[in-house]
Amino acid sequence: MPPSDKTFIETQFPVSLISKESYKERKAGSGQTLTGLGKWWGRKPLILIRASILGMLMPASDNPDKDREIFLKILTMDPDGLWQRRVKAIPLRTLYDWLPNRDAGLYFEENERGGVRWVADLAQEVKESVTRRYFDHLSYDEKLEYCDRPEQIEGPSESTWQDINAHLGTTANNLQDLIDQLGKARFGHTPKVGDAFCGGGSIPFEAARIGCEAYGSDLNPVAALLTWASIHLIGGGREIQDKVQNAQKVAFAETDRQITEWGIEHNSLGWRADAYLYCVEAVCPATGYLLPLAPTWVISEKYKVCAVLKLDRENKRYDIEVIVNADAETFLNASIGTINKNGRMVCPETGETFSIPEIRGDKRINGKTVYGLRLWENEDLVPRAEDTFQERLYCIRWIEKYIDINSQGEKTNKTRRHFCSVTQEDLDRENFVLTLLNDRFNKWQEKGYLPSREIERGGDKTEEPIRTRGWTHWHHLFTPRQLLMHGLFAECFLHLNGTDKVMSAVLCLSIGAAIDRQARLCGLDSHVSKGPGSTRNVFFNQALNTQYNFGVRVLDRLKEFYLLEFISNKKISVTNNIDLLDAREISTSNDIWLTDPPYADAVNYHELSNFFGVWYEKNLSLSFPSWNLADRHALAVKGSGREFKQSMVEIYSNLATNMPHNGFQMVQFTHQDPAVWADLGMILWAAGLHVSSAWTISTETPSGLKKGNYVQGTVLLVLRKRTNDDVVFPDELPSMIEDEVRTQLDEMLALDDKEQPNFGDTDYQLAAYAAALRVMTQFATIEGINIENELYREKQKNLKSEFEKLIDQAVEIACNHLIPVGFDEFQWKGLASAERLYLKGLELEKHGELRSGAYQELAKGFGVREYTFMFAKTKANEVRFKTGTEFKRANLGGDNFAGSLMRHVLFALHETVTKENAREGVNYLVAEVSDFWGNRKKIIEILRYLQRLAHIDHMPHWETDAEAAQTLAGAIENYHA
């Protein structure tokens, strides 16, 4: 079959199944392939990248059902592929209980204790057959519970490759061969895939792994390093991985030897510290005493360990005593900290509260806030005596190793934990740590073992540590103990392993993984039952959060971070290149540009990543001399205003220049507002690209009917280079858009599987946006509409451009075209917009959609402005419309929805339920609905639809109303005047 001009992803995409696979990968947490290399925000799932590239390479035939079947076979997402990926055994009891009694007895025998086993001498192929029968009846979500991810197996079976090759006209026996052959058929060579915002490296890594020549670039050196490491370390093969791990182990052992020799983690009893807890102190205005600050003094719920403050009047301060096995009253009192939930200091003596800005001495001068803290200098490693905020060690958890001898004289090595108050001996060790660090500090900064750069002023996130603690340099975010540990490991690693490209990069990654768990910003884990030292990582959210109390890990508890673990060891051998480059400066040509741009993004990558980057600078300059490591965060693409849009047009114009005429671009981004991606569509249009298709993948949450649809999906916008100079007149566009929207939706509906839906409600709306953009962006000019003016104009409230009006029209067409399942088309067309909104809102809820944004977009599509009164719940991710009995008499009578037929039907349900008589509902409708007989069929159609909401597990609130709808519909059908 010769390659079609249209590709698979331009005609269809199994968004539901790929969403499920993406969620499974996300749910793997630290078991994801790339996460072990280091922190990055918003890495896209590898299965999504794999599916996207395949979708742009695989031709679309005139048999879309067969195309879909083959696409899923390639990704091992078909029934046989899922069976092949099965790694978790299905419990025999589960099989036994599932089989009918007659069949169960053929295959299983049950003992008197209720245990189940296979019938003796049952052939293996029979066992496989029974297990396969059970497996095949499961839903896709249920099957995934037993399966590896697609990336964890070699690929389709030999017989499956025969089917794939027969349909595609290829001769492949693995994914890399297939990608190579599809690329050569379309482009004449092995496909080249590039990413100009490579971030955490997902796109170049997966492109290279499946056989593409890969290119990645980023303006951020941390991103470039992570991307390089994904290909050259995770994709470096077992030999390089063994070399790296051995180097890390040797360096760790030497670091441990030196720390043990110094004695800074051991006490006089020979116990070794397991964790240190610190708190901030400040003078209380009510008493003048130095007050330890913490939101809670509970240390371990499991062992009932807490800290108790004891007033020391003589020294105007508080002693801190650690209590183990505290009684209930002591423990309860300890849960009330000296920082309340509003972030105010609480005086233990008077109960008065004081704002922290007041404690800091912040003031308003000439209308501007002037912060009151002294700004630390480079040499400051701990607070000075005159500083507002002091720092105090208040608890140490020690590990005692001992030998247990049982009654038979057998010896067992055991450990015992001790939660202890801080002694003078402990404070002496703290001072010794500071002395050791001071002796090495200047040398280590010069060598790059410790950072020396100042924190950038004026940043959205970087002002936080400066404003709240006075910290001005990045190393101020770490305690002396932490700096000593990180610097020592760096010194030992480079001394023992040298400074070649691989080793310097590995050291950066090791330090990066460790500092995310070992900084002054590591607050205590909310699961305090884990004990002290169980800390959250620095970036538990997307900010630099200063803490009132925090934990410091000891060396042994950083071992898992200093020593990299590799999930995959398959060697990548294709050509690849990683640049540290502004996307506007790229000159490398690629057949496919697959990017995840920082569009209107809440993550300030250019600020937050410096937390890591300042530790890497000198080592990276040795490893990658061609990289320009000068601080270029001022060039970072950020925001959403005019300057940002101009930068984006320049970037995507450059990428369009560096791709062939038959090449593709895909832009992936997690959208929070459809207007955002509509703007992005205009940017890409201005860059000389036209929209080919768009899909939404849920990458963060379970799909289907699972509870908690918390985060909107990732939009995949597929684009081609616009190669014409065609002109269109505005009055020609509406009919073209309407035809395109209807065609797009009809094709999706025809492909959809009612048992295992491919598309959600929001996918159809997104398809309408894509269809409108596809029509508009195919033309170089829309007569009378200046694209640059449209793109760069200052948006005014309630004033829409012609472009936005066309987009809105497309969505309205889609909303009206998509009739709820089972609803009569003729009756649907007779409903008003608000009535349609209500019924489609129930359809959203029926499909498990609980996001307020989805309902907002639905209302926008129907052109309904006032609709919030319909909500029974408005809490994020729990949104739903009211039932008839929940409405009661509210919003009944008048104009719009309040006076609509739908509203009268809902009140009739209320009457039927509350008076337990359908006749009451009938009487209400006959009396209140004008032309009752003319609307009788429509009323029955609405009731029959509402009746079908009964027995839906996640809609129990409709149970009573749905049953009343069934009764009322029957009563109206049998009613005679």
Side-chain angles (χ1 to χ4, degrees):
M1 181 184 67
S4 164
D5 183 54
K6 280 280 187 181
T7 62
F8 179 83
I9 203 168
E10 293 175 293
T11 57
Q12 60 173 306
F13 204 54
V15 296
S16 175
L17 300 187
I18 293 171
S19 292
K20 295 173 192 288
E21 295 283 359
S22 295
Y23 177 66
K24 178 179 176 63
E25 184 177 330
R26 276 279 188 263
K27 197 168 61 172
S30 60
Q32 295 176 78
T33 302
L34 299 185
T35 54
L37 285 179
K39 174 69 179 178
W40 194 258
W41 301 266
R43 279 189 178 100
K44 292 295 181 283
L46 298 176
I47 182 59
L48 174 58
I49 308 305
R50 180 177 295 198
S52 298
I53 294 172
L54 176 62
M56 286 184 280
L57 290 175
M58 180 174 151
S61 73
D62 55 4
N63 185 346
D65 288 332
K66 187 65 176 179
D67 287 347
R68 175 183 167 81
E69 176 190 326
I70 294 301
F71 185 82
L72 294 178
K73 282 179 180 287
I74 295 169
L75 296 176
T76 62
M77 290 166 56
D78 63 309
D80 287 342
L82 286 164
W83 177 251
Q84 184 183 346
R85 285 161 51 192
R86 183 179 62 91
V87 290
K88 184 178 174 183
I90 298 171
L92 297 186
R93 168 57 68 178
T94 300
L95 296 175
Y96 179 82
D97 291 342
W98 172 72
L99 286 166
N101 289 336
R102 178 175 52 82
D103 291 349
L106 294 175
Y107 306 112
F108 294 102
E109 50 191 23
E110 190 175 16
N111 62 31
E112 62 279 3
R113 296 187 301 276
V116 174
R117 64 185 178 190
W118 292 105
V119 170
D121 301 324
L122 196 65
Q124 183 60 34
E125 56 267 28
V126 175
K127 297 177 183 178
E128 285 281 312
S129 175
V130 172
T131 307
R132 179 68 189 265
R133 281 166 54 199
Y134 172 81
F135 187 78
D136 284 345
H137 104 283
L138 297 174
S139 69
Y140 200 94
D141 295 274
E142 291 168 331
K143 287 176 182 175
L144 287 182
E145 294 296 321
Y146 294 96
C147 293
D148 266 342
R149 305 194 298 270
E151 62 173 303
Q152 293 175 295
I153 68 167
E154 286 299 315
S157 64
E158 185 176 340
S159 60
T160 301
W161 276 115
Q162 294 174 6
D163 294 340
I164 293 168
N165 289 326
H167 182 68
L168 296 177
T170 51
T171 58
N173 58 18
N174 58 60
L175 185 57
Q176 290 74 23
D177 282 349
L178 179 68
I179 294 297
D180 184 62
Q181 291 178 37
L182 291 176
K184 287 176 177 174
R186 184 164 293 277
F187 303 117
H189 52 253
T190 299
K192 301 176 181 179
V193 176
D195 180 4
F197 304 98
C198 59
S202 292
I203 293 169
F205 172 76
E206 190 63 12
R209 187 163 64 160
I210 65 175
C212 303
E213 292 186 11
Y215 174 83
S217 70
D218 205 292
L219 191 63
N220 191 307
V222 177
L225 172 65
L226 290 170
T227 303
W228 180 90
S230 70
I231 295 175
H232 293 87
L233 297 183
I234 292 179
R238 174 57 67 192
E239 184 178 349
I240 188 68
Q241 290 177 1
D242 286 346
K243 178 182 176 183
V244 165
Q245 289 177 325
N246 288 334
Q248 290 175 314
K249 288 175 183 176
V250 169
F252 185 86
E254 177 57 20
T255 305
D256 182 62
R257 185 199 65 76
Q258 182 61 77
I259 284 178
T260 302
E261 182 179 303
W262 283 334
I264 57 175
E265 288 189 357
H266 291 79
N267 66 13
S268 58
L269 298 173
W271 301 348
R272 188 162 189 174
D274 187 44
Y276 297 85
L277 289 192
Y278 295 80
C279 68
V280 170
E281 291 185 305
V283 173
C284 175
T287 62
Y289 295 168
L290 191 61
L291 177 65
L293 302 178
T296 177
W297 294 107
V298 171
I299 295 171
S300 171
E301 289 182 348
K302 182 177 180 180
Y303 300 109
K304 291 292 182 288
V305 182
C306 62
V308 175
L309 303 187
K310 296 192 173 182
L311 185 60
D312 179 358
R313 294 183 185 276
E314 182 179 348
N315 295 303
K316 294 188 175 182
R317 64 193 298 272
Y318 289 82
D319 292 328
I320 304 178
E321 182 181 355
V322 174
I323 307 292
V324 179
N325 294 322
D327 59 62
E329 182 180 0
T330 301
F331 199 73
L332 178 62
N333 290 337
S335 67
I336 303 170
T338 48
I339 293 289
N340 66 18
K341 62 182 180 181
N342 297 318
R344 295 174 65 88
M345 174 192 282
V346 181
C347 177
E349 311 310 316
T350 68
E352 293 176 83
T353 67
F354 304 92
S355 75
I356 296 302
E358 178 184 347
I359 301 298
R360 290 198 304 252
D362 297 351
K363 296 177 182 177
R364 295 285 291 178
I365 300 177
N366 297 327
K368 298 180 70 174
T369 300
V370 177
Y371 301 114
L373 295 180
R374 179 189 73 86
L375 298 182
W376 286 30
E377 297 177 10
N378 179 57
E379 291 73 20
D380 287 320
L381 301 173
V382 293
R384 295 181 187 176
E386 68 271 18
D387 282 340
T388 300
F389 292 124
Q390 298 297 305
E391 194 170 86
R392 179 173 180 178
L393 176 65
Y394 70 92
C395 176
I396 303 175
R397 182 172 68 183
W398 297 98
I399 298 293
E400 176 192 6
K401 294 183 178 180
Y402 65 99
I403 298 175
D404 181 65
I405 304 175
N406 63 18
S407 57
Q408 283 77 40
E410 297 169 330
K411 297 181 180 180
T412 307
N413 292 324
K414 289 192 174 184
T415 60
R416 185 184 292 122
R417 290 176 175 174
H418 301 271
F419 300 84
C420 297
S421 303
V422 175
T423 67
Q424 185 57 50
E425 182 186 326
D426 300 324
L427 297 178
D428 290 342
R429 275 189 292 273
E430 289 289 287
N431 290 329
F432 184 45
V433 166
L434 184 58
T435 299
L436 290 169
L437 179 60
N438 275 319
D439 290 345
R440 293 159 176 77
F441 181 70
N442 292 332
K443 181 181 75 172
W444 281 1
Q445 277 197 329
E446 289 173 9
K447 289 181 173 291
Y449 303 161
L450 297 179
S452 56
R453 203 199 305 173
E454 292 185 37
I455 300 172
E456 297 74 23
R457 296 305 306 257
D460 184 59
K461 303 299 181 184
T462 52
E463 278 296 311
E464 178 74 4
I466 299 171
R467 175 175 59 85
T468 61
R469 293 293 183 272
W471 297 335
T472 58
H473 290 65
W474 286 100
H475 67 270
H476 293 154
L477 276 57
F478 302 85
T479 68
R481 186 176 289 278
Q482 291 167 334
L483 291 172
L484 184 66
M485 192 181 302
H486 297 321
L488 179 61
F489 180 80
E491 182 178 60
C492 292
F493 187 92
L494 293 178
H495 174 72
L496 294 168
N497 299 298
T499 56
D500 64 45
K501 175 182 284 191
V502 171
M503 288 306 164
S504 294
V506 166
L507 174 60
C508 293
L509 295 169
S510 296
I511 293 293
I515 62 176
D516 190 32
R517 276 84 174 179
Q518 183 78 322
R520 279 183 164 119
L521 307 184
C522 293
L524 299 185
D525 196 290
S526 58
H527 301 289
V528 292
S529 60
K530 295 178 182 176
S534 297
T535 58
R536 290 189 289 188
N537 60 338
V538 169
F539 292 108
F540 67 89
N541 63 11
Q542 296 160 359
L544 295 166
N545 307 278
T546 55
Q547 307 292 324
Y548 290 106
N549 62 335
F550 57 92
V552 171
R553 298 174 182 238
V554 295
L555 179 66
D556 192 58
R557 297 190 64 215
L558 288 176
K559 189 173 185 178
E560 62 180 301
F561 307 114
Y562 279 142
L563 309 186
L564 297 178
E565 290 292 333
F566 299 103
I567 303 297
S568 170
N569 58 25
K570 189 170 183 179
K571 187 174 178 60
I572 291 174
S573 55
V574 293
T575 302
N576 61 82
N577 185 34
I578 308 301
D579 280 340
L580 185 66
L581 201 62
D582 187 327
R584 287 162 284 203
E585 301 171 357
I586 290 172
S587 59
T588 302
S589 181
N590 285 286
D591 305 309
I592 295 172
W593 284 102
L594 206 166
T595 54
D596 177 11
Y599 189 79
D601 208 316
V603 182
N604 292 271
Y605 300 96
H606 58 290
E607 293 178 19
L608 300 183
S609 63
N610 274 344
F611 175 83
F612 301 104
V614 294
W615 288 81
Y616 301 169
E617 289 172 322
K618 293 193 177 178
N619 283 313
L620 282 185
S621 65
L622 296 174
S623 298
F624 303 94
S626 64
W627 287 5
N628 179 6
L629 292 169
D631 184 11
R632 308 177 78 192
H633 79 275
L635 299 175
V637 179
K638 50 187 180 292
S640 57
R642 179 185 178 90
E643 184 179 341
F644 166 79
K645 291 176 182 178
Q646 288 176 328
S647 297
M648 291 287 282
V649 170
E650 292 172 11
I651 287 169
Y652 279 97
S653 296
N654 185 41
L655 298 186
T657 300
N658 286 290
M659 63 182 276
H661 290 309
N662 63 338
F664 292 94
Q665 289 203 37
M666 175 186 280
V667 177
Q668 298 185 349
F669 58 103
T670 301
H671 68 100
Q672 298 175 343
D673 180 355
V676 167
W677 81 264
D679 269 358
L680 185 55
M682 280 205 292
I683 287 171
L684 298 168
W685 183 15
L689 299 162
H690 76 86
V691 174
S692 180
S693 62
W695 310 101
T696 306
I697 301 296
S698 174
T699 56
E700 304 294 340
T701 57
S703 50
L705 303 180
K706 293 185 178 180
K707 183 179 178 183
N709 211 344
Y710 298 112
V711 180
Q712 295 191 31
T714 293
V715 174
L716 315 181
L717 204 59
V718 183
L719 307 114
R720 291 203 187 211
K721 184 182 288 190
R722 190 170 56 249
T723 56
N724 62 62
D725 296 318
D726 294 350
V727 179
V728 68
F729 290 91
D731 59 355
E732 297 178 88
L733 287 172
S735 60
M736 296 171 68
I737 288 172
E738 181 170 356
D739 290 344
E740 188 70 17
V741 170
R742 293 183 186 278
T743 299
Q744 172 77 66
L745 298 183
D746 287 341
E747 288 176 354
M748 291 171 68
L749 287 166
L751 283 167
D752 220 354
D753 183 338
K754 299 302 180 289
E755 296 299 320
Q756 190 73 251
N758 302 314
F759 311 112
D761 299 271
T762 51
D763 293 310
Y764 289 104
Q765 278 188 280
L766 181 64
Y769 278 93
L773 287 176
R774 189 157 54 243
V775 169
M776 291 186 285
T777 58
Q778 68 180 290
F779 299 101
T781 304
I782 298 177
E783 195 66 39
I785 297 181
N786 185 312
I787 180 62
E788 289 195 2
N789 288 346
E790 288 289 313
L791 181 58
Y792 301 137
R793 72 183 177 86
E794 194 73 33
K795 292 194 175 183
Q796 299 179 31
K797 191 175 182 180
N798 299 325
L799 185 62
K800 294 186 177 181
S801 68
E802 293 303 313
F803 183 90
E804 290 172 301
K805 290 176 184 175
L806 288 169
I807 293 288
D808 287 347
Q809 183 180 354
V811 178
E812 186 176 354
I813 293 166
C815 288
N816 290 320
H817 189 65
L818 294 167
I819 302 167
V821 177
F823 207 99
D824 181 77
E825 182 177 356
F826 177 79
Q827 301 298 344
W828 176 256
K829 290 179 178 178
L831 294 173
S833 294
E835 294 176 299
R836 295 183 189 183
L837 169 63
Y838 180 82
L839 291 168
K840 280 298 291 180
L842 296 182
E843 189 91 344
L844 288 183
E845 185 186 353
K846 185 178 175 182
H847 294 158
E849 179 59 83
L850 304 174
R851 293 172 293 135
S852 59
Y855 291 81
Q856 181 181 348
E857 287 307 307
L858 194 63
K860 182 180 175 183
F862 282 116
V864 179
R865 290 188 176 182
E866 297 296 328
Y867 62 94
T868 54
F869 64 87
M870 297 182 185
F871 287 137
K873 289 187 175 183
T874 56
K875 186 177 179 181
N877 307 306
E878 293 183 13
V879 169
R880 68 170 178 84
F881 283 163
K882 293 176 181 176
T883 66
T885 52
E886 288 172 331
F887 263 116
K888 298 178 182 177
R889 287 189 174 273
N891 303 97
L892 181 63
D895 298 328
N896 301 319
F897 186 78
S900 68
L901 181 65
M902 183 75 238
R903 181 66 190 93
H904 285 308
V905 170
L906 289 170
F907 187 73
L909 286 179
H910 173 264
E911 292 292 273
T912 300
V913 171
T914 56
K915 296 177 180 177
E916 299 182 351
N917 189 340
R919 183 71 186 199
E920 295 292 338
V922 175
N923 291 341
Y924 171 79
L925 291 170
V926 171
E928 298 297 330
V929 173
S930 59
D931 191 14
F932 170 79
W933 291 105
N935 283 294
R936 180 169 171 267
K937 287 187 176 179
K938 192 172 294 180
I939 291 170
I940 293 171
E941 186 66 24
I942 291 172
L943 289 168
R944 291 300 183 200
Y945 176 78
L946 298 179
Q947 168 190 331
R948 291 192 287 274
L949 300 178
H951 311 302
I952 296 177
D953 289 343
H954 63 287
M955 298 178 71
H957 46 278
W958 264 102
E959 191 74 30
T960 301
D961 284 63
E963 290 176 1
Q966 181 179 9
T967 305
L968 184 56
I972 293 173
E973 284 179 326
N974 295 312
Y975 175 75
H976 302 285

